[in-house]
Amino acid sequence: MFPGDFFLIFNRQDQNVKIMNFFRSPLLLLSCLSCLGSSCADRRPDAWSGNPVFDGWYADPEAVLYDGTCWIFPTTSLPYDEQLSFDCFSSEDLVHWTRHAAVLTREDVSWAKRAMWAPASIRRGARYYLFFSANDVHEGEVGGIGVAVSDRPEGPYRDLLGRPLIQQIVNGAQPIDQFVYEEDGICCMYYGGWGHCNVVRLKDDFTGIRPFDDGMLYKEITPRGYVEGPFLFKRRDKYYFMWSEGAWTGPDYSVAYAVSDSPLGPFERVRTVLQQDPAVATGAGHHSVIHIPDTDDYYIVYHRHPLGDSEGSHR
């Protein structure tokens, strides 16, 4: 058994996915699916969503549960400068999905001039916050991680700050691919491209960052092999840190994980948990995980490239 004992995923020829008891089964690496779907109420559902779970070019899915409804916030996967708005999708059973169009667009974000991608959603009180990356930021350029707010998960969202939340490059981490994790009322944001990952502590109103107890603003937690797309969840007092490896347009795109006793690490890479099945699709990666309350069931949601399609944005 490997540390943490991770996902067991069965492939049904690119159409259906069955999730078994992840943490009581041996680790099996079978990855060839876009988004996983089955009934929340029954581990052996009569209906299957099929894969992918909804039509269109979408990537980098963030899946969250709000009041029994699953929401997926993906990147609209188009040529880079055309990724200028976000749709989201909702489902009460992980089988039937409703599309909510243009929940946030470039017109709502004055400083976003080109690509917007990798949304991350969190509820705080009665409001919903959508974190996102915008512009291909390099040193001295305007862009990076933004945050928008709405009274409803399906939006419409408005830019909260009128500027990026983080745009500077710290510890070599490009400010992209953010994920927000909340525990005991404290929100931390994990982010970073270019092979580096930082974690910061957010202010309660998400208007900025605040120091950790030791006075530091940015902590680098980069595990071996990290490229981008961080994600964290907690199970039985262990923290599972996950990320994407390889090139996002290539067949080597995959997901690896580490386990720690602390949300701040240290994180030592355990192994790959999701990778392509060359008979089905290529480049499986940039994922999120949802936990079905009161069960030990966890679902992974991710994107992939169709076989024989060399267009990088076709995800």
Side-chain angles (χ1 to χ4, degrees):
M1 306 295 276
F2 294 99
D5 250 8
F6 225 48
F7 300 89
L8 182 63
I9 303 175
F10 285 91
N11 171 31
R12 287 193 172 188
Q13 297 301 317
D14 193 30
Q15 292 299 319
N16 300 312
V17 182
K18 186 174 183 180
I19 310 301
M20 304 300 289
N21 194 326
F22 298 144
F23 292 97
R24 298 196 185 109
S25 304
L27 182 65
L28 176 65
L29 301 179
L30 274 179
S31 301
C32 52
L33 307 159
S34 293
C35 299
L36 307 187
S38 64
S39 169
C40 294
D42 191 335
R43 294 185 186 183
R44 289 174 293 180
D46 295 326
W48 296 93
S49 68
N51 272 300
V53 294
F54 42 75
D55 293 331
W57 298 123
Y58 293 101
D60 315 329
E62 164 105 346
V64 294
L65 291 177
Y66 293 135
D67 301 321
T69 297
C70 181
W71 296 82
I72 294 180
F73 296 84
T75 298
T76 302
S77 190
L78 298 170
Y80 195 72
D81 286 332
E82 298 177 24
Q83 293 183 172
L84 301 175
S85 68
F86 294 109
D87 298 339
C88 73
F89 297 82
S90 62
S91 175
E92 295 183 358
D93 58 9
L94 301 188
V95 176
H96 305 95
W97 294 88
T98 299
R99 175 176 175 258
H100 309 271
V103 300
L104 178 69
T105 73
R106 185 181 63 174
E107 285 70 28
D108 304 313
V109 184
S110 61
W111 53 272
K113 305 302 181 184
R114 46 191 319 212
M116 301 169 65
W117 77 97
S121 176
I122 190 169
R123 179 167 60 185
R124 189 80 163 167
R127 307 179 87 186
Y128 298 84
Y129 295 86
L130 194 66
F131 292 77
F132 58 93
S133 304
N135 304 348
D136 189 17
V137 63
H138 297 80
E139 197 68 60
E141 296 178 349
V142 175
I145 297 171
V147 56
V149 63
S150 176
D151 294 326
R152 301 181 301 173
E154 69 271 30
Y157 288 83
R158 59 176 178 82
D159 188 15
L160 180 66
L161 303 176
R163 56 174 173 78
L165 173 66
I166 295 179
Q167 76 170 30
Q168 63 269 41
I169 297 168
V170 179
N171 298 325
Q174 190 183 37
I176 64 168
D177 287 7
Q178 62 295 315
F179 169 72
V180 179
Y181 175 78
E182 182 175 10
E183 185 173 358
D184 298 329
I186 296 174
C187 289
C188 288
M189 184 169 68
Y190 298 76
Y191 76 89
W194 295 346
H196 293 273
C197 186
N198 289 335
V199 58
V200 296
R201 181 177 290 182
L202 296 171
K203 293 181 178 180
D204 291 340
D205 59 4
F206 296 149
T207 60
I209 64 175
R210 58 192 178 103
F212 290 98
D213 293 341
D214 60 5
M216 293 184 65
L217 284 174
Y218 298 84
K219 291 181 180 288
E220 182 170 8
I221 56 166
T222 308
R224 177 175 55 88
Y226 176 90
V227 175
E228 60 193 16
F231 189 87
L232 181 86
F233 69 92
K234 183 180 181 181
R235 179 184 179 274
R236 296 182 183 174
D237 298 322
K238 296 289 185 181
Y239 294 88
Y240 292 82
F241 182 63
M242 308 175 74
W243 63 91
S244 293
E245 300 182 338
W248 67 272
T249 58
D252 60 340
Y253 208 46
S254 56
V255 173
Y257 79 100
V259 183
S260 177
D261 294 325
S262 167
L264 304 180
F267 294 105
E268 292 295 329
R269 186 186 190 280
V270 176
R271 65 174 301 166
T272 302
V273 69
L274 174 69
Q275 61 189 14
Q276 71 168 5
D277 181 336
V280 178
T282 65
H286 204 129
H287 75 299
S288 58
V289 173
I290 54 173
H291 172 223
I292 306 302
D294 303 319
T295 75
D296 209 24
D297 292 343
Y298 292 75
Y299 290 71
I300 187 168
V301 185
Y302 57 97
H303 72 244
R304 65 185 183 194
H305 296 276
L307 285 179
D309 193 330
S310 60
E311 173 56 54
S313 61
H314 285 177
R315 298 174 290 170

